[in-house]
Amino acid sequence: MTDDPIVYLNGEFLPISQARIPVLDRGFIYGDGVYEVIPVYRRAPFRMPHHLARLQHSLDGIRLANPMTNDAWDALVRDLCARQPFDDQSVYLQVTRGVAKRDHAFPKGVAPTVFMMSNPLALPSREQVEHGVAVVTAEDNRWLRCDLKTTSLLGNVLMRQKAADVGAVECVMFRDGHLTEASASNVLIVRAGVIVAPPKDNQILPGITYDATHEFAREAGMPMEVRAVTRDEALSADEMWLSSSTKEVLAVTTLDGKPFGGGVPGPMFRRMYQAFQQHKPAAARRA
Ligand code: PDD
């Protein structure tokens, strides 16, 4: 049944309607936790080792011990996927610092909360792929550990809402005159035939899809540079792309209400989109 799907909570599989956490969970009180979103094609997780490595990076960043080995995570994700009635999935997993009396400092001897659910993978529509999508822009006012995939997402939530308010899919952000990322995706641009992406530093999430685009670009012989991108360069780019586990790659064709990049997805986007489609089932089988 998809209206009451099976989820995983602290060692148990159960229908989501029965999954409960105590109100003192630090995920609820402080957003004190980390998460991952893993795309699953034909029941095979895509780039699972990369997602588990980033999970470890996020856990290390918030000083929370990993409650499971990578093999145990891998088995659990596959088990959860096997319990869903659909093949293409988006697995969400979350680890919080557990349940404790409210006090900012870490509690001692508390078990983390581990939650996982899987939804049908809602990839962009054909229309979005063919015609591109609209974004708005804003000054990035989030904290300076955007490399950690934490559940404290209020900054991202507010940015995404700025986009939603005007019917756009994303909010592309700039900090100190440089491109960072969007509220739930990475941003890459194309200038004079070269793909340019901001470096994976503390100001952006090290996207698994971002890395995939680099690999696919290398294989396809598409020139690519990783370096800081100024606002002017981004706003006058030939193409702008969004990348994420649930969007794959998407072209930006409207920016702040005006046509961008000629108002149609560019030739480099089309090549990258093709490369992505060719790689994904094979990569999913390999993972
Ligand atoms: N978001 N930057 C931010 C802020 C993100 O939230 C995401 C992904 C990305 C892209 O990362 P990846 O390619 O690994 O999905 C970049 C997920 C999908 C989410 O929060 O739902």
Side-chain angles (χ1 to χ4, degrees):
M1 267 201 334
T2 45
D3 53 354
D4 199 8
I6 298 296
V7 301
Y8 173 90
L9 181 62
N10 295 331
E12 258 191 285
F13 286 100
L14 71 177
I16 195 164
S17 62
Q18 289 168 32
R20 298 271 182 279
I21 56 154
V23 289
L24 284 180
D25 193 285
R26 288 176 64 99
F28 180 60
I29 298 286
Y30 294 117
D32 185 0
V34 301
Y35 76 106
E36 274 299 324
V37 175
I38 308 172
V40 175
Y41 295 99
R42 302 188 205 156
R43 295 186 187 272
F46 184 60
R47 303 198 154 216
M48 178 93 103
H50 303 72
H51 283 278
L52 293 179
R54 186 173 64 186
L55 175 65
Q56 186 64 55
H57 172 77
S58 300
L59 287 166
D60 291 346
I62 71 160
R63 297 165 59 190
L64 181 58
N66 194 331
M68 272 184 263
T69 62
N70 280 358
D71 284 350
W73 278 118
D74 189 274
L76 209 52
V77 168
R78 287 170 200 274
D79 193 349
L80 180 73
C81 290
R83 293 168 192 257
Q84 312 305 321
F86 37 84
D87 289 341
D88 293 338
Q89 306 183 21
S90 162
V91 170
Y92 174 90
L93 69 85
Q94 168 171 349
V95 184
T96 80
R97 209 179 305 273
V99 181
K101 182 171 174 301
R102 186 178 181 276
D103 177 2
H104 289 58
F106 300 167
K108 291 200 173 65
V110 167
T113 299
V114 178
F115 171 64
M116 287 177 39
M117 62 181 167
S118 189
N119 292 306
L121 181 61
L123 290 174
S125 63
R126 181 117 309 271
E127 157 84 16
Q128 287 178 316
V129 172
E130 307 251 305
H131 299 290
V133 296
V135 302
V136 295
T137 60
E139 193 58 29
D140 195 341
N141 59 8
R142 300 170 303 155
W143 74 330
L144 289 171
R145 290 308 309 274
C146 295
D147 56 315
L148 305 177
K149 201 162 173 63
T150 78
T151 59
S152 315
L153 282 174
L154 193 50
N156 302 62
V157 165
L158 293 173
M159 290 297 173
R160 174 74 178 80
Q161 188 56 38
K162 267 187 209 287
D165 285 344
V166 295
V169 308
E170 262 293 19
C171 179
V172 171
M173 295 179 281
F174 298 92
R175 194 192 289 275
D176 301 330
H178 288 92
L179 173 66
T180 55
E181 60 179 344
S183 56
S185 29
N186 289 112
V187 180
L188 301 89
I189 63 163
V190 177
R191 287 183 70 87
V194 180
I195 305 165
V196 190
K200 290 192 293 178
D201 58 15
N202 63 309
Q203 299 188 37
I204 69 169
L205 188 79
I208 306 302
T209 322
Y210 166 112
D211 282 346
T213 60
H214 285 53
E215 278 180 40
F216 302 160
R218 247 194 317 275
E219 274 182 46
M222 298 165 79
M224 176 133 194
E225 270 176 25
V226 174
R227 61 168 175 80
V229 175
T230 66
R231 183 199 303 264
D232 289 348
E233 282 180 308
L235 298 185
S236 62
D238 301 322
E239 301 185 26
M240 182 182 284
W241 308 344
L242 304 171
S243 78
S244 91
S245 292
T246 47
K247 293 186 191 74
E248 299 183 340
V249 277
L250 270 183
V252 171
T253 47
T254 304
L255 186 139
D256 288 333
K258 300 192 190 74
F260 186 86
V264 288
M268 294 282 278
F269 168 78
R270 293 187 184 285
R271 279 178 74 188
M272 177 55 68
Y273 182 79
Q274 281 314 321
F276 209 99
Q277 302 314 306
Q278 277 158 17
H279 277 83
K280 75 184 187 191
R285 276 198 299 274
R286 275 204 301 275

